[in-house]
Amino acid sequence: MAGEPQDDCLFCKIVAGQIPATIVRETDTIVAFRDINPQAPTHVLVIPKAHYRDAAALAAGAPDLAADVLRETREVADQEKLDSYRTIFNTGTGAGQTVWHAHAHVLGGRGLEWPPG
């Protein structure tokens, strides 16, 4: 069920403290932690504590929570002292989503080319 922790979800286990992560920011609604396979000098994932399969499900089911995630990407960027950064939501396998829990990537600390990928 949307919003409920999933036993087989890596990110739900991080939220629950069952799997360690390098947490850089936490609020009542989100957790932000360093990606274990960084694609830039700064690569932080911002996830809602509630489980939603992807960004589309999060936006449809909990728009206020989706806004929290997006707002916290800015807070992470400020905390990491990034003058410029990229926020990415991968939605679906074809877009590169590998963990089925909505999350935003905050990338920065180097020039980021366009188009990505």
Side-chain angles (χ1 to χ4, degrees):
M1 175 185 260
E4 297 297 320
Q6 304 295 303
D7 292 336
D8 61 345
C9 176
L10 173 68
F11 290 174
C12 287
K13 290 177 181 180
I14 289 173
V15 168
Q18 298 169 341
I19 293 179
T22 304
I23 295 174
V24 299
R25 187 167 176 78
E26 184 170 5
T27 70
D28 290 341
T29 60
I30 67 93
V31 175
F33 53 92
R34 300 210 183 275
D35 194 295
I36 62 170
N37 185 26
Q39 301 300 304
T42 298
H43 188 168
V44 174
L45 302 177
V46 180
I47 69 169
K49 288 183 175 180
H51 181 92
Y52 287 87
R53 178 177 172 83
D54 54 34
L58 176 61
D64 289 345
L65 183 53
D68 286 350
V69 171
L70 190 55
R71 184 175 30 260
E72 290 301 321
T73 64
R74 164 88 190 259
E75 295 297 329
V76 166
D78 287 350
Q79 182 177 308
E80 296 289 316
K81 298 180 177 27
L82 298 174
D83 292 329
S84 59
Y85 62 97
R86 182 172 289 161
T87 301
I88 301 169
F89 289 90
N90 296 323
T91 301
T93 305
Q97 185 176 4
T98 58
V99 177
W100 298 100
H101 184 120
H103 57 285
H105 298 257
V106 178
L107 298 157
R110 68 168 172 82
L112 299 168
E113 301 300 318
W114 193 260

